């Protein structure tokens, strides 16, 4: 995973930073446990993926919905929103906002990183289908722009392979690794230990990258047909 992210998204990370998860809800629970004190306010996109807010509530955090526009979340609103001013975390999908589909401009990405450093906060970057982009050059991942260890990068194999696989990952900054390892050791693994070696071999062989290139072409044709 570390090698794949470096080659495809320009994200430099050590293998030990990638925690294997059983999908988005499991990743959200891990981040909630190791990244925030109980009761903390965390900003979520409105509209956004509803399972994230539900999981944050279940984990004892307080999600704060902030309206998004065509460019996703505007970091300027974090300072003007009465409740968001006290938040110390943000969950965003900058590559393709769910459900509106917009991409966050680079200027907003940099402003969001500045906000996180200023308030001693954490940004969770959800790239649920980061392998697929059909128009224009790929924008840099928030994690690749982060120099202060403020971003958690969440990825999934659900879109590119199968949702029934229930495998994903969270790339954690160094400051969270100790708490994350303690959380993971406290219970049985949620991510399938049967599927993981097969998927690791599939990625290492280069077949995964070939599969992404092939399906990107197929989905681009389908997208164009739908737009027409």
């Amino acid at each position: 995973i570390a090698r794949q992210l470096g080659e495809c998204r320009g994200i430099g990370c050590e293998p030990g930073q990638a925690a294997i998860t059983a999908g988005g809800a499991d990743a959200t629970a891990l981040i909630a446990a190791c990244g925030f004190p109980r009761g903390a306010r965390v900003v979520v996109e409105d509209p956004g993926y509803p399972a994230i807010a539900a999981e944050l509530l279940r984990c004892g955090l307080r999600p704060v919905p902030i309206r998004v526009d065509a460019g996703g979340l505007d970091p300027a609103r974090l300072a003007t929103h009465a409740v968001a001013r006290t938040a110390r975390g943000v969950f965003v999908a900058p590559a393709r906002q769910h459900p509106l589909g917009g991409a966050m401009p680079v200027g907003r990405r940099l402003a969001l990183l500045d906000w996180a450093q200023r308030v001693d906060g954490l940004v969770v970057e959800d790239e649920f289908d980061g392998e697929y982009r059909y128009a224009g050059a790929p924008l840099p991942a928030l994690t690749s722009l982060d120099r202060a260890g403020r971003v958690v990068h969440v990825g999934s194999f659900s879109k590119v392979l199968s949702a029934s696989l229930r495998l994903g990952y969270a790339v954690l900054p160094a400051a969270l690794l100790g708490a994350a390892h303690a959380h993971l050791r406290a219970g049985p693994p949620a991510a399938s230990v049967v599927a993981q070696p097969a998927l690791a071999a599939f990625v290492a062989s280069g077949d995964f990258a070939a599969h992404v290139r092939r399906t990107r072409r197929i989905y681009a044709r389908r997208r164009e047909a739908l737009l027409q």
Side-chain angles (χ1 to χ4, degrees):
I1 287 172
R3 185 167 59 249
Q4 183 75 16
L5 287 174
E7 293 173 354
C8 298
R9 296 298 285 126
I11 295 173
C13 66
E14 297 297 322
Q17 291 178 254
I20 309 303
T21 67
D26 187 37
T28 302
L30 171 64
I31 296 163
C34 68
F36 302 101
R38 192 169 183 84
R41 289 190 172 98
V42 181
V43 169
V44 296
E45 297 173 322
D46 179 24
Y49 187 47
I52 291 178
E55 186 64 24
L56 291 173
L57 279 171
R58 192 190 69 79
C59 294
L61 301 184
R62 293 186 286 175
V64 180
I66 296 290
R67 294 292 295 180
V68 300
D69 56 28
L73 181 74
D74 185 353
R77 299 201 64 191
L78 299 176
T80 59
H81 190 282
V83 180
R85 283 203 298 264
T86 62
R88 290 299 176 266
V90 176
F91 278 68
V92 290
R96 194 187 323 279
Q97 202 278 331
H98 178 90
L100 302 182
M104 182 183 287
V106 173
R108 287 191 179 184
R109 297 178 188 226
L110 295 173
L112 192 56
L113 293 176
D114 288 342
W115 169 87
Q117 190 161 6
R118 188 168 62 252
V119 304
D120 191 22
L122 192 66
V123 177
V124 180
E125 175 182 36
D126 183 7
E127 278 207 344
F128 57 91
D129 67 345
E131 293 83 7
Y132 296 121
R133 183 171 176 84
Y134 307 108
L139 294 170
L142 271 170
T143 315
S144 69
L145 298 171
D146 180 28
R147 297 294 181 267
R150 297 292 177 182
V151 180
V152 178
H153 184 89
V154 176
S156 171
F157 294 100
S158 293
K159 298 293 184 184
V160 71
L161 291 174
S162 171
S164 61
L165 194 62
R166 305 303 303 159
L167 284 178
Y169 52 88
V171 178
L172 301 160
L176 299 184
L177 290 180
H181 290 165
H183 176 79
L184 292 171
R185 285 195 300 266
S192 169
V193 294
V194 175
Q196 286 185 55
L199 180 55
F202 185 54
V203 173
S205 69
D207 290 336
F208 175 78
H211 169 76
V212 170
R213 291 193 296 270
R214 182 172 59 252
T215 53
R216 187 185 292 133
R217 291 192 297 269
I218 294 171
Y219 296 159
R221 290 196 299 267
R222 292 178 182 176
R223 175 179 179 273
E224 183 61 27
L226 176 63
L227 291 175
Q228 289 178 1

